Amino acid sequence: MTGILGAGLATPLGLGRAATLAAWDGDAIAIAPHPASDALPSVAQVPGFRPRKQLPDRKAVKLMSREAQLLVYAAVEACGTDVAERLGVPPEQIGAFAAAGYEVTPLDEVVDMFDASRDPDAPARLSLPRLFAEGRHAYNPLSPLKTLPNMALFHAALSLGLRGPHLAIGSSPAAGLAALSGAVDAIGDGTCSHALVGGTDAQTELFRIHYLHEAGVDAAPGEGAAALLLAADAPVRVAAVGLAQEPPAGPEVRGDYGEGASAALRGALYRRLLDEAGLDRVDLVHGDFWGMPTGAHPGGANVRDAAERSALATLPGVVDTRIVATRPRLGHLGAAHGLVDVVLAAGAIEAGRASSALVTAGGSAGDLGAVVLVGASS
Amino acid sequence: MTRVVVTGLGVACPLGTDPETVAQAQRDGRSGAGPLADAFDTTHFEVQTACRVPDWDPSHLGRFAPALADSGDRKAEFGVHAAVQALRHAFGDDASAQAAIAALPGRAALHTASGLVSSLPAEGEADVLACLGPDRAFDFAASMESLKAANHLRARHFTDRVNQLLAWGYGFSGPSLVNHGACAAGAVAIGTAARWIRRGRCDLAVAGGFESMIHPFGVLSFQMLGALSERTDCDHTAVSRPFDSTRDGFVIGEGAGMLVLESEEHARARGATVLGVVHGLGSSLDSYRTTAPPPDGRGAVVAMRAALAEAKLQPADIDWVSAHGTGTPLNDSAETAAVRAVFGDRGVAPPLISSKSAIGHAVAAAGAVEAVLALLALRDGIIPPTLNLNSPDPECDLDHVPHEARRAPDARYVLSNSFGFGGVNGSLVLGRADT
């Protein structure tokens, strides 16, 4: 059974797995005022992160988005830069499966270009001839590379020298669990012997903050990354992993999935995975709770938290299960969410505080993921 | 092992917006290239050619059209169009497709692919210009209000929008994800969905890719990276020149390709017509450079060999290779070297053709559109041509089937390559319906 051989974290609770786990086990809350402006909502940023000093190739840092920098940090912690040599396997046998948030170009990299591209006759408008004649020269030609959605995976794979199969996905909170599912399948099929699995996001940039604000997400925009090194046998095992899609009731961007239908679909997925894992209950659940107040978004009542509660209530033996939510303390970590929860849950199993855990995550487009972890002795 | 069959095809590409129109254009060796200025004002811009989906009218998207009307999201329109077309192809009509998917709770999947979403000029105006004061200080307080002005365009940034709409329209409730593996994404999405079916994670999947980067900041991004042809000394249809010694970059394309995949057991049980078979996927990472492949194409070699292994085929079984074949100087020589390493030199290696000579580079959708083209070519018993190959590069010395399609009624297997920025490689082995 595929399991977790190594793990790395960069979260608002701490830089590194040990720091995050220690803070998580305490009462720390990582949410603070936005450093750029009091007009922006509070955010949850990774403390003490200095990419040029802490990443293996400082020259490459300027080519990386914040998401890529965070993922490389977590990947190096999970695997070490000499992973193929240490494991004694060819680099073609180590895959890379990663979820990354939508990597927007930072404001300070586009301001000069836009300002130089104003239409002289209508300064509030952009002029394409001005953009092509002048504006583009104020734009760093390497900036577009940062926003390619597979660049976080590229930089992590390059840092570790991985040449195996890949899956680059995003940017939903469930995407990290989809990456985990892909890696588990790849190892199970023999496509690779080991896999880096990663999830990373930086929701603290202006345009992302705006989206969360408009979406009515009641959690602070956050940033972070998690990475796992998976192998065929390891102390904490992935007993079952599954994905699903909630059909929305309407075509709106942030869909209404209906509490009853959503709860039924979620519950069916979670119970099936417990079944596959051969468990009659789990000790710990890291649930898909967003803290979105009912009725918060304009398309209709958002009932995802209520649906998640209802779904978890159908699990066998749930009265003795500890159910936790990470967003109130870590902020909204976007595409990093699912895997950050996996590393936290695996930490609880390793520490002997749980023998099994269910981690669930969902995205605003209705995609869901769930994974059951068990200790080696289970 | 479960055989994964193709039972529906959907496409929007520069050669047309339905499989039969596209198949005819492919047989005729037509190009879909035209002026980029048809899309936006290109004054002072070096790039002047693009391969656009012709005569595109999103109003035909029916119940999906209102949901996409305000966002200017061509890629999502293409994606929905191709998926709906593929589902109707597979099931006859929407009601039959919905009924079939409803009968598969948790086991009808979506694995699509899309790519970079750069902003539209209107977003730049609302998100940045409106918030810059006379001293160029950015007013964050004002931005929280002014950003709302472009909020209707924000939907195009959500690449999972197509999956969400298909789930609403047809009731998909199985595994669902969007592949962001750059130019390899479409191929990897199809191959991974086929694996889901083989592993029993689902019985049916809609898989493919959708993309449109033909807008000012999309094209500008590729131009600034030096990836696009800036040729203006010939007709637009002669700009894309894969494997030619005068190639100078790719021509930007757009579109979508979608496949309905089913386990053979599921397809046979409902009496579906089998259009082709997905035999194998191989993927690999170069771990080399951001925008350049290693000259020996070593990552591509790993991907092609892995695809053949999953398909349980030997190199000699492959009848022709659909190249990534972008027309950039570095890609085509590295890909030729990789194909030689896997298949042997000219005379031994199968023909290596580039559909991008006709349709340009559809980026994340490329592998999916080209999978549709390859399956149509297998059905039609042809090897599609590489257009504009007038002065072959000595480093690209394989049989590239120049200018005109070649009859190949006995061809059974195609290997389709897709390689992307960031050193991501994907190779698919596709087979004729009787393989």
Side-chain angles (χ1 to χ4, degrees):
Chain A
M1 189 186 294
T2 302
I4 300 170
L5 203 56
L9 284 175
T11 79
L13 284 180
L15 185 63
R17 178 173 174 267
T20 296
L21 288 176
W24 175 249
D25 290 340
D27 295 324
I29 295 177
I31 298 160
H34 196 292
S37 168
D38 293 342
L40 299 177
S42 293
V43 292
Q45 294 183 301
V46 176
F49 184 42
R50 297 178 187 83
R52 286 183 184 278
K53 290 188 175 177
Q54 294 161 341
L55 299 187
D57 181 357
R58 60 178 296 172
K59 288 182 182 173
V61 169
K62 66 181 178 189
L63 297 173
M64 297 182 194
S65 66
R66 183 77 171 174
E67 288 93 335
Q69 294 168 2
L70 291 165
L71 181 61
V72 170
Y73 183 90
V76 170
E77 186 184 25
C79 302
T81 52
D82 58 348
V83 59
E85 188 180 339
R86 186 165 51 82
L87 295 171
V89 300
E92 291 79 9
Q93 277 296 310
I94 309 177
F97 302 75
Y102 166 44
E103 301 183 33
V104 294
T105 309
L107 177 66
D108 60 2
E109 294 188 21
V110 296
V111 163
D112 291 344
M113 173 176 65
F114 285 143
D115 200 32
S117 304
R118 289 182 190 269
D119 185 334
D121 299 324
R125 304 290 307 275
L126 286 172
S127 156
L128 292 183
R130 290 267 298 193
L131 169 69
F132 296 133
E134 297 174 41
R136 63 172 150 162
H137 301 303
Y139 187 46
N140 183 342
L142 297 177
S143 280
L145 276 180
K146 296 182 185 178
T147 62
L148 288 175
N150 66 318
M151 279 296 134
L153 177 140
F154 161 73
H155 286 292
L158 183 66
S159 298
L160 307 184
L162 311 184
R163 295 187 192 156
H166 60 86
L167 194 62
I169 46 181
S171 54
S172 151
L177 300 188
L180 178 61
S181 172
V184 167
D185 283 356
I187 292 173
D189 291 343
T191 308
C192 57
S193 63
H194 296 75
L196 166 72
V197 183
T200 184
D201 212 331
Q203 304 262 348
T204 53
E205 202 278 334
L206 176 69
F207 304 123
R208 302 290 295 276
I209 288 173
H210 173 72
Y211 163 65
L212 295 177
H213 182 74
E214 287 298 299
V217 175
D218 196 27
E223 63 174 9
L228 305 171
L229 174 61
L230 292 192
D233 195 20
V236 177
R237 296 171 179 170
V238 180
V241 57
L243 309 174
Q245 170 72 44
E246 297 184 83
E252 297 81 14
V253 174
R254 292 180 284 276
D256 176 0
Y257 300 96
E259 183 179 341
S262 178
L265 186 139
R266 288 164 182 256
L269 173 65
Y270 305 161
R271 290 191 301 274
R272 174 169 67 79
L273 294 182
L274 258 62
D275 234 26
E276 285 179 20
L279 298 176
D280 52 13
R281 60 175 295 278
V282 289
D283 294 336
L284 173 67
V285 170
H286 276 245
D288 177 40
F289 294 110
W290 284 54
M292 294 176 85
T294 297
H297 89 85
N302 192 308
V303 292
R304 59 187 314 134
D305 286 7
E308 177 76 352
R309 277 193 294 274
S310 299
L312 294 175
T314 69
L315 297 184
V318 73
V319 290
D320 296 322
T321 299
R322 180 171 175 241
I323 299 176
V324 300
T326 45
R327 280 182 179 85
R329 293 176 59 193
L330 280 81
H332 180 59
L333 301 181
H337 243 298
L339 284 184
V340 167
D341 278 310
V342 165
V343 177
L344 294 175
I349 291 173
E350 276 189 300
R353 288 194 298 277
S355 61
S356 59
L358 170 70
V359 176
T360 73
S364 60
D367 53 319
L368 291 173
V371 58
V372 176
L373 304 173
V374 297
S377 57
S378 297
Chain B
M1 188 170 63
T2 301
R3 210 159 150 263
V4 179
V5 299
V6 181
T7 58
L9 296 176
V11 68
C13 80
L15 297 181
T17 52
D18 68 88
E20 293 314 318
T21 301
V22 169
Q24 183 65 52
Q26 182 172 239
R27 291 193 294 270
D28 294 345
R30 290 206 295 268
S31 166
L36 177 60
D38 286 352
F40 56 83
D41 185 348
T42 58
T43 305
H44 303 310
F45 194 34
E46 292 86 348
V47 178
Q48 291 294 327
T49 298
C51 288
R52 303 181 76 213
V53 172
D55 306 320
W56 179 246
D57 175 13
S59 66
H60 79 278
L61 295 174
R63 59 186 166 147
F64 297 101
L68 294 166
D70 292 336
S71 61
D73 192 355
R74 275 170 77 89
K75 68 181 188 324
E77 293 169 1
F78 297 149
V80 169
H81 161 84
V84 168
Q85 192 174 67
L87 285 162
R88 289 174 181 166
H89 193 187
F91 293 98
D93 54 47
D94 282 351
S96 301
Q98 284 168 333
I101 291 162
L104 294 170
R107 299 190 60 78
L110 296 163
H111 193 152
T112 60
S114 193
L116 185 153
V117 186
S118 47
S119 296
L120 297 176
E123 291 172 273
E125 291 164 359
D127 297 354
V128 179
L129 292 186
C131 309
L132 277 183
D135 55 354
R136 288 176 27 91
F138 193 86
D139 186 338
F140 286 98
S143 77
M144 294 306 288
E145 283 305 312
S146 69
L147 283 164
K148 290 178 181 174
N151 215 27
H152 61 290
L153 299 173
R154 221 69 70 189
R156 57 186 288 284
H157 293 262
F158 305 129
T159 53
D160 46 17
R161 185 82 173 111
V162 169
N163 286 22
Q164 186 195 27
L165 286 171
L166 294 173
W168 164 65
Y170 293 94
F172 287 91
S173 59
S176 174
L177 61 86
V178 184
N179 195 298
H180 284 180
C183 309
V188 174
I190 291 169
T192 303
R195 285 178 178 166
W196 284 351
I197 293 172
R198 283 192 209 102
R199 285 188 68 88
R201 288 198 181 275
C202 60
D203 301 307
L204 177 152
V206 169
F210 54 94
E211 183 75 281
S212 178
M213 294 290 291
I214 304 180
H215 53 85
F217 292 113
V219 183
L220 180 60
S221 295
F222 285 115
Q223 188 269 342
M224 292 180 76
L225 292 169
L228 297 180
S229 174
E230 298 179 0
R231 184 178 296 282
T232 56
D233 60 355
C234 61
D235 187 82
H236 294 291
T237 59
V239 172
S240 183
R241 302 180 179 189
F243 305 117
D244 194 89
S245 60
T246 62
R247 68 188 185 276
D248 68 335
F250 70 78
V251 171
I252 189 78
E254 65 178 2
M258 292 285 182
L259 278 55
V260 174
L261 305 178
E262 298 180 62
S263 67
E264 183 176 31
E265 183 184 9
H266 187 266
R268 298 283 183 214
R270 69 179 190 85
T273 300
V274 173
L275 307 171
V277 182
V278 180
H279 287 286
L281 165 70
S283 73
S284 69
L285 295 154
D286 288 339
S287 277
Y288 183 66
R289 290 180 186 159
T290 320
T291 59
D296 61 359
R298 64 174 183 241
V301 170
V302 171
M304 286 189 274
R305 287 182 174 152
L308 289 168
E310 185 162 286
K312 301 190 188 319
L313 294 174
Q314 298 301 312
D317 294 322
I318 298 298
D319 294 290
W320 51 279
V321 176
S322 174
H324 184 53
T326 53
T328 61
L330 293 177
N331 174 83
D332 293 2
S333 55
E335 184 170 12
T336 304
V339 169
R340 274 203 301 262
V342 174
F343 294 95
D345 292 333
R346 187 180 177 109
V348 179
L352 176 67
I353 67 96
S354 173
S355 293
K356 291 186 180 71
S357 62
I359 63 171
H361 189 355
V363 194
V369 172
E370 289 160 21
V372 173
L373 295 181
L375 288 164
L376 292 169
L378 281 172
R379 180 202 69 179
D380 292 347
I382 64 159
I383 304 175
T386 301
L387 305 183
N388 305 318
L389 185 53
N390 297 310
S391 172
D393 180 349
E395 287 192 28
C396 303
D397 58 352
L398 298 178
D399 174 7
H400 299 297
V401 190
H403 307 306
E404 293 181 358
R406 183 181 299 166
R407 278 189 49 74
D410 298 327
R412 303 176 75 224
Y413 296 104
V414 174
L415 186 142
S416 183
N417 282 337
S418 297
F419 311 137
F421 279 176
V424 286
N425 307 300
S427 296
L428 276 177
V429 175
L430 304 168
R432 210 167 60 179
D434 60 353
T435 58

